[in-house]
């Protein structure tokens, strides 16, 4: 996924509870769950809170906790909170912020407000973790790249399916298109580069592998991931205004292998 282009301004560094510095190779600061986040401006209507530059489980969990806290306890003038792998982007209304904080430069005021909210964020999320099962028909017309992935990984397609359905994955973030959940937890044996030439259209429900991640395409869209199967389960419901996306950051996901007949039955029942 694309990183936001940051406009470099003086960063606000926050020293969280239990902060400790760990020196890594070459004397550089190793990024752990206690690395102080930095806050950068993204134009004049948003601030990016960066918790690290590596996609570790601890960083992803901290991002999710902070985003949940900001959404549950909205700050004045904030219009949106967008979590990613290692950052949370906080959008705000600059005109409203100028009036609310009685300042000419709302960026500094919003920095301080966000830093204060982060300091109050619990270390552990209180949200109940959901486990969502996604049925997948692997190979054939549903997974046209399965042989490519199996050859790259030097395994059989049966072993590929076994390795792909064994883990319990975690939704690290949503992005790319509505409902597209980037899943962490893929077996390293299945890591496969993206296609050299992306497809103009990847069919809704296609299950793909891109590098060391796996995901389900929730709608028809262009895409460059290796398609190994397809699910009949709808992950984006345009008619559900309250909750159109099935997956949420922090959810657990398990894939269950099904055959073509069960795929057809499930697909028909979902209509």
């Amino acid at each position: 996924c694309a990183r936001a282009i940051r406009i470099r301004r003086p960063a606000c560094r926050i020293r969280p509870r239990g902060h400790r510095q760990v020196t890594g190779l070459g004397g550089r600061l190793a990024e752990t769950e206690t690395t102080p986040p930095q806050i950068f401006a993204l134009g004049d209507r948003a601030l990016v809170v960066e918790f690290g530059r590596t996609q570790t489980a601890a960083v992803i969990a901290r991002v999710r906790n902070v985003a949940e806290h900001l959404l549950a306890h909205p700050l004045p003038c904030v219009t949106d909170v967008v979590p990613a792998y290692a950052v949370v982007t906080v959008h705000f209304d600059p005109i409203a912020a100028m009036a609310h904080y009685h300042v000419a430069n709302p960026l500094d005021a919003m920095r301080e407000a966000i830093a204060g909210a982060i300091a109050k964020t619990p270390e552990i999320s209180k949200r109940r973790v959901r486990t969502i099962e996604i049925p997948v028909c692997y190979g054939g017309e549903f997974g046209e790249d399965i042989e490519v992935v199996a050859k790259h990984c030097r395994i059989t397609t049966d072993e590929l399916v076994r390795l792909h359905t064994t883990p319990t994955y975690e939704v690290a973030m949503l992005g790319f298109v509505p409902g597209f959940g980037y899943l962490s937890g893929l077996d390293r044996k299945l890591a496969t580069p993206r296609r050299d030439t992306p497809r103009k259209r990847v069919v809704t429900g296609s299950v793909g592998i891109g590098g060391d991640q796996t995901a389900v395409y929730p709608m028809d869209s262009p895409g460059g991931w290796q398609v190994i199967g397809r699910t009949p389960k709808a992950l984006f419901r345009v008619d559900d205004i309250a909750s159109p996306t099935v997956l949420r950051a922090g959810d657990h996901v398990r894939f269950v292998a099904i055959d073509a007949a069960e795929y057809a039955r499930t697909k028909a029942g979902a209509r």
Side-chain angles (χ1 to χ4, degrees):
C1 59
R3 286 177 63 89
I5 299 174
R6 297 180 307 197
I7 300 174
R8 289 283 180 177
R9 299 199 183 187
C12 173
R13 296 177 63 86
I14 307 163
R15 184 174 294 271
R17 297 184 297 274
H19 168 72
R20 60 187 177 89
Q21 291 189 343
V22 180
T23 303
L25 295 175
R28 297 178 62 186
L29 179 65
E31 288 166 339
T32 69
E33 64 274 16
T34 54
T35 301
Q38 298 187 58
I39 303 179
F40 300 98
L42 181 64
D44 60 357
R45 293 175 173 268
L47 288 162
V48 177
V49 186
E50 184 181 82
F51 292 88
R53 297 188 179 180
T54 54
Q55 297 171 2
T56 65
V59 168
I60 292 171
R62 186 61 177 158
V63 165
R64 186 160 54 247
N65 290 351
V66 168
E68 289 175 2
H69 182 78
L70 291 173
L71 288 169
H73 305 85
L75 292 172
C77 313
V78 168
T79 58
D80 201 5
V81 177
V82 183
Y85 269 113
V87 304
V88 177
T89 301
V90 181
H91 298 263
F92 63 92
D93 182 335
I95 303 301
M98 290 171 65
H100 180 82
Y101 293 104
H102 306 289
V103 293
N105 180 5
L107 283 170
D108 291 338
M110 292 304 302
R111 273 196 189 93
E112 293 302 319
I114 293 169
I118 292 173
K120 298 176 182 177
T121 300
E123 295 294 332
I124 300 176
S125 173
K126 296 180 180 180
R127 186 171 71 86
R128 181 177 63 86
V129 176
R130 305 182 304 165
T131 298
I132 298 170
E133 287 194 351
I134 299 179
V136 180
C137 186
Y138 289 90
E141 63 178 300
F142 300 118
E144 51 197 305
D145 297 325
I146 195 168
E147 297 286 352
V148 173
V149 176
K151 183 178 180 180
H152 173 81
C153 299
R154 299 181 180 180
I155 57 177
T156 65
T157 55
D158 287 343
E159 179 67 0
L160 186 157
V161 173
R162 187 189 71 79
L163 291 174
H164 194 259
T165 55
T166 296
T168 296
Y169 299 91
E170 183 175 2
V171 181
M173 61 167 281
L174 298 179
F176 178 49
V177 295
F180 188 99
Y182 289 83
L183 306 181
S184 61
L186 181 71
D187 192 302
R188 292 183 179 180
K189 296 177 183 177
L190 295 182
T192 306
R194 293 168 172 78
R195 292 169 52 85
D196 291 335
T197 304
R199 291 185 173 93
K200 294 181 180 179
R201 176 176 176 263
V202 178
V203 179
T204 300
S206 294
V207 178
I209 291 177
D212 60 356
Q213 301 173 105
T214 188
V216 181
Y217 286 80
M219 61 183 67
D220 286 6
S221 69
W225 291 29
Q226 307 283 357
V227 176
I228 60 173
R230 193 183 304 165
T231 179
K233 185 180 181 70
L235 297 183
F236 181 73
R237 304 162 298 201
V238 68
D239 56 339
D240 188 344
I241 298 176
S243 183
T245 61
V246 172
L247 301 180
R248 297 198 303 256
D251 285 343
H252 288 174
V253 171
R254 290 191 63 85
F255 292 112
V256 179
I258 60 175
D259 58 23
E262 187 172 353
Y263 177 95
R265 288 193 298 271
T266 305
K267 189 74 172 177
R271 293 173 183 169

